[in-house]
């Protein structure tokens, strides 16, 4: 039997995605060739790319005037492409974690960066609120889900300037109002596909407003014009992403996925809050991520942390170690993780309590 995969990324994918991709790696669309050895310009693969873009638009109800791109380079390359393409003089960033911090560091190469608020001093254990976004900045950058620290901005915010969001680890976990954003991006390896493809949803009209020369490959317009085929796209991850999109649709779309995610998260947070051995690391309940659930042992049980880790591992839990900057445990409960896996972890926590708490 497969272990329960709580890995933060690359992470669990639907069985459907893994099976369909494995089949296509052997014989792609009846061509008798492997998906790994066909031209990205073959009619079979062009159909995959077209369908992936169409399903992306359908599942997120993306309005007219936006382009969907599948690129290489990971979310980390977007940290630089965003200011390169969008920042004339000034940008604003909300510093909610290590990725947000890396994104704003890149923007500093291009001009003035205003950090509107930061939760760095308390190891990013909450989402700052009540900050002011400068009206003269070219865009405001947020990270909706902070994969390492387990905080999440779960609602689409109103913003008077173009809003840019890193949704690497919560894309397709809930419905989003794309019209509120100028650009949404992420590495696909958390909730969509194997590593190697980066998705970008960009509002066409925000481009072409900076004077600087942009290297061809780093220019969004290149990839819009080339329909994500200017250079060879990551063929296998794009195929896998399409399978995941089909799976999401089969589940009932993003609203149905959101409901399942809420149930899974409630199950685990309830145990964390009621089990005397554990506590959550994120203080405000409204800031708690539905995707990455971080918890530690309560002070009086601290020395049992390694024991719990070994116990849970022996029961088939995989990938639950917290990030080194937070410690403790992190259970990633992405879309594809079955509720039964969360229940298995909760059972471990209860069994561990019954053997250690008098
Ligand atoms: C994983 C992650 C990244 C980094 O993605 P790469 O594709 O490895 O560059 C960026 N932002 C967030 C929120 C992430 O979870």
């Amino acid at each position: 039997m497969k272990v329960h995969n709580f890995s933060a990324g690359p992470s669990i994918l639907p069985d459907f995605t893994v099976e369909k991709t494995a089949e296509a790696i052997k014989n792609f669309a009846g061509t008798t060739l492997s998906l790994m050895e066909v031209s990205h310009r073959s009619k079979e693969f062009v159909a995959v790319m077209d369908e992936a873009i169409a399903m992306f638009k359908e599942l997120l109800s993306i309005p007219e005037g936006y382009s969907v791109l599948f690129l290489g380079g990971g979310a980390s390359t977007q940290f630089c492409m965003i200011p390169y393409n969008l920042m004339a003089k000034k940008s604003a960033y909300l510093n909610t974690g290590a990725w947000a911090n890396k994104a704003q560091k890149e923007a500093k190469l291009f001009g003035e960066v205003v950090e509107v608020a930061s939760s760095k001093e308390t190891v990013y254990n909450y989402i700052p609120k009540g900050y002011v976004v400068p009206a003269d900045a070219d865009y405001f950058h947020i990270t909706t889900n902070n994969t390492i620290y387990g905080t999440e901005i779960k609602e689409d915010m109103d913003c008077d300037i173009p809003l840019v969001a890193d949704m690497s680890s919560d894309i397709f976990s809930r419905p989003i109002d794309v019209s509120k954003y100028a650009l949404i991006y992420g590495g696909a390896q958390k909730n969509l596909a194997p590593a190697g493809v980066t998705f970008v949803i960009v509002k066409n009209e925000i481009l072409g407003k900076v004077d600087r020369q942009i290297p061809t490959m780093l220019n969004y317009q290149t990839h819009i014009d080339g329909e994500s085929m200017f250079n060879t796209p990551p063929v296998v991850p794009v195929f896998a992403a399409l399978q995941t999109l089909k799976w999401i649709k089969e589940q009932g779309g993003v609203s149905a996925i959101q409901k399942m995610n809420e149930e899974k998260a409630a199950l685990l947070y309830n145990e964390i809050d009621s089990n005397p051995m554990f506590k959550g690391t994120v203080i405000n309940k409204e800031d708690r991520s539905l995707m990455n659930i971080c918890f530690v042992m309560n002070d009086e049980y601290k020395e049992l942390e390694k024991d719990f880790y070994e116990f849970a591992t022996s029961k088939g839990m995989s990938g639950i170690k917290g990030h080194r900057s937070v410690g403790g445990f992190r259970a990633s409960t992405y879309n594809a993780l079955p509720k039964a896996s969360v229940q298995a972890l909760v059972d471990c926590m209860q069994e561990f309590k019954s053997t250690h708490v008098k």
Side-chain angles (χ1 to χ4, degrees):
M1 212 198 84
K2 228 176 133 172
V3 296
H4 300 283
N5 187 358
F6 292 96
S7 173
S11 28
I12 188 165
L13 291 169
D15 288 338
F16 178 80
T17 300
V18 176
E19 279 158 22
K20 290 289 172 194
T21 307
E23 282 168 22
I25 282 176
K26 290 191 173 155
N27 180 358
F28 170 49
T31 57
T32 76
L33 302 175
S34 167
L35 176 61
M36 298 188 292
E37 54 182 16
V38 294
S39 167
H40 60 293
R41 302 206 187 274
S42 64
K43 72 173 189 324
E44 289 83 4
F45 186 74
V46 170
V48 168
M49 181 63 96
D50 289 348
E51 195 180 358
I53 291 169
M55 284 202 70
F56 220 95
K57 290 185 172 172
E58 180 191 330
L59 289 169
L60 293 178
S61 311
I62 299 178
E64 289 292 308
Y66 285 79
S67 299
V68 171
L69 307 174
F70 291 113
L71 308 177
S76 300
T77 299
Q78 295 306 309
F79 296 166
C80 119
M81 275 177 82
I82 287 157
Y84 228 139
N85 286 264
L86 303 183
M87 182 171 166
K89 276 204 183 70
K90 186 172 174 177
S91 61
Y93 279 73
L94 181 62
N95 187 3
T96 53
W99 298 116
N101 203 31
K102 283 184 176 165
Q104 81 178 22
K105 186 166 163 261
E106 288 300 294
K108 285 179 188 160
L109 298 171
F110 299 89
E112 184 190 349
V113 173
V114 178
E115 183 182 86
V116 301
S118 169
S119 46
K120 189 171 182 188
E121 264 161 42
T122 54
V123 202
Y124 297 118
N125 67 353
Y126 70 102
I127 301 281
K129 285 158 202 107
Y131 47 80
V132 176
V133 178
D136 61 344
D138 298 312
Y139 64 85
F140 176 44
H141 180 282
I142 59 171
T143 308
T144 50
N145 185 64
N146 298 283
T147 322
I148 296 176
Y149 307 95
T151 60
E152 187 176 10
I153 300 169
K154 293 190 279 283
E155 268 160 35
D156 304 310
M157 63 174 75
D158 292 308
C159 185
D160 295 332
I161 62 172
L163 183 62
V164 173
D166 177 352
M167 294 198 187
S168 292
S169 50
D170 62 350
I171 190 76
F172 291 109
S173 69
R174 61 179 158 91
I176 45 175
D177 181 354
V178 174
S179 71
K180 290 193 169 175
Y181 300 84
L183 192 147
I184 295 169
Y185 70 98
Q189 68 274 19
K190 311 282 166 52
N191 226 354
L192 192 61
V197 65
T198 311
F199 61 84
V200 176
I201 305 167
V202 55
K203 192 175 192 176
N204 301 326
E205 69 177 39
I206 62 159
L207 299 173
K209 293 184 181 164
V210 296
D211 292 332
R212 71 176 66 86
Q213 294 278 318
I214 304 172
T216 310
M217 273 297 286
L218 299 183
N219 192 332
Y220 289 119
Q221 200 60 53
T222 303
H223 301 290
I224 293 173
D225 296 343
E227 298 179 334
S228 296
M229 295 261 197
F230 172 78
N231 71 317
T232 316
V235 171
V236 175
V238 170
F239 180 91
L242 172 59
Q243 309 316 307
T244 303
L245 297 174
K246 288 182 176 174
W247 176 84
I248 292 170
K249 186 168 178 176
E250 185 66 36
Q251 304 306 301
V254 276
S255 303
I257 293 275
Q258 177 184 37
K259 196 165 163 284
M260 291 188 268
N261 287 336
E262 285 170 351
E263 284 172 16
K264 287 185 288 179
L267 182 61
L268 185 49
Y269 281 123
N270 268 338
E271 183 60 24
I272 293 168
D273 291 339
S274 60
N275 188 318
M277 299 194 84
F278 302 95
K279 64 174 181 205
T281 59
V282 178
I283 311 305
N284 306 329
K285 290 197 174 168
E286 79 266 18
D287 293 345
R288 286 174 161 184
S289 171
L290 301 188
M291 297 282 97
N292 310 97
I293 299 179
C294 296
F295 56 102
V296 293
M297 311 283 311
N298 257 319
D299 292 342
E300 49 186 313
Y301 300 105
K302 257 275 124 39
E303 76 283 4
L304 291 174
E305 193 172 293
K306 194 160 166 279
D307 291 9
F308 178 70
Y309 178 77
E310 279 163 12
F311 174 71
T313 303
S314 77
K315 295 275 185 181
M317 306 303 128
S318 170
I320 58 164
K321 206 172 231 148
H323 189 272
R324 60 188 182 281
S325 58
V326 184
F329 306 96
R330 169 176 52 173
S332 297
T333 51
Y334 294 122
N335 292 345
L337 185 85
K339 192 173 179 187
S341 290
V342 180
Q343 187 61 54
L345 176 57
V346 166
D347 291 347
C348 280
M349 293 163 78
Q350 290 178 351
E351 198 180 329
F352 199 71
K353 177 183 75 176
S354 69
T355 53
H356 287 90
V357 181
K358 304 288 161 309

